[in-house]
Amino acid sequence: GPQSIRSALANSYNVPAVQVLQWVGIDSVIRTAHAMGINSLDRGLANYGLSLTLGGGEMSLIDLTYAYSVFANEGQMAGRPTPQAMRRTGFRTLDPTYILRIEDRNGNILWEYGQGNTFATNPIIEAPLAYLINDILSDDVARRPSVGVNSALQLTRPAAVKTGTTNDYRDNWAIGYTPQLSVGVWVGNTDNSPMVELPAITGAAPVWKAIMEYAHRDLPIETWERP
């Protein structure tokens, strides 16, 4: 029957996702994905169909986590400028930073982020839209029909999170964030062989929860302010 956007997104219902993709168009979705930080999905529109919303397009863990960080930053992408020679029209112009500091064995800092690097932010989506997505993906009550009470998606603080499981249980994804940190987790076999009936809620999600709880142990509880 009819579903609210909140219920459909929070519970990962497939039919509403396909319907929305059909309404807005595959080209619009891919264009938005590129702007959000996804550097793949570049094989041409003819290679993608409505299955795109169900996992019909490959992307890397770092790209997907970086894209979700735009929501965490209330619509802003933060990072270092992409080198001019590596920029592609329509794709992101900032990149995540992989290394923060290099030290020698005595603890002397040889290089630290900020030395010879610039930091920038770009507005990608409007803050009210980011807030709505954050509110839905952090709504533990809304997702209970699919994951139950006290699931691996519930932290001791507000956190937005989305999971995904590909065909034959080859991949588990759990991507989630707070205003302070974004964390992406992939679980699978390195030879791309199927796992044995392991959905993301019992595979990647518990790993994500453990990392998030540990990483936030000394951080204050924060949430997103309504614009």
Side-chain angles (χ1 to χ4, degrees):
Q3 295 287 326
S4 68
I5 291 177
R6 178 176 296 270
S7 176
L9 182 57
N11 292 285
S12 298
Y13 292 152
N14 289 341
V15 173
V18 172
Q19 179 68 73
V20 171
L21 178 56
Q22 187 175 42
W23 283 338
V24 303
I26 295 173
D27 57 337
S28 296
V29 170
I30 291 180
R31 189 164 56 248
T32 301
H34 289 165
M36 292 279 290
I38 304 298
N39 274 345
S40 57
L41 303 180
D42 54 1
R43 294 186 289 114
L45 293 178
N47 292 282
Y48 302 104
L50 295 180
S51 64
L52 179 63
T53 192
L54 307 179
E58 293 184 352
M59 58 190 65
S60 70
L61 178 62
I62 187 65
D63 277 7
L64 193 56
T65 307
Y66 195 40
Y68 271 73
S69 74
V70 173
F71 293 123
N73 287 330
E74 299 178 312
Q76 298 278 332
M77 177 177 286
R80 56 184 176 83
T82 304
Q84 195 67 39
M86 299 179 64
R87 293 189 181 185
R88 292 181 287 170
T89 302
F91 288 78
R92 72 187 191 214
T93 58
L94 298 177
D95 291 318
T97 297
Y98 301 99
I99 299 174
L100 296 180
R101 186 171 65 250
I102 300 174
E103 301 176 357
D104 64 17
R105 62 182 181 180
N106 297 317
N108 299 312
I109 298 177
L110 304 178
W111 178 90
E112 191 169 14
Y113 178 68
Q115 298 177 3
N117 289 274
T118 56
F119 178 81
T121 59
N122 284 340
I124 304 298
I125 58 176
E126 295 181 355
L129 173 58
Y131 175 81
L132 289 174
I133 296 296
N134 296 342
D135 192 61
I136 291 172
L137 294 185
S138 62
D139 189 341
D140 186 65
V141 175
R143 61 179 171 240
R144 285 181 183 175
S146 61
V147 301
V149 180
N150 297 322
S151 73
L153 304 182
Q154 185 174 2
L155 304 185
T156 54
R157 64 179 64 222
V161 58
K162 190 76 175 64
T163 62
T165 306
T166 58
N167 289 347
D168 302 320
Y169 302 99
R170 295 180 189 275
D171 304 276
N172 275 189
W173 300 82
I175 316 289
Y177 53 90
T178 64
Q180 296 114 313
L181 293 172
S182 296
V183 171
V185 172
W186 170 82
V187 169
N189 294 317
T190 55
D191 61 358
N192 199 36
S193 60
M195 295 181 288
V196 181
E197 298 184 5
L198 184 69
I201 189 62
T202 54
V207 179
W208 174 84
K209 179 175 182 175
I211 293 173
M212 290 289 280
E213 292 287 12
Y214 182 82
H216 285 84
R217 65 194 186 283
D218 296 323
L219 297 179
I221 294 177
E222 295 184 8
T223 188
W224 299 274
E225 292 187 13
R226 181 174 178 174

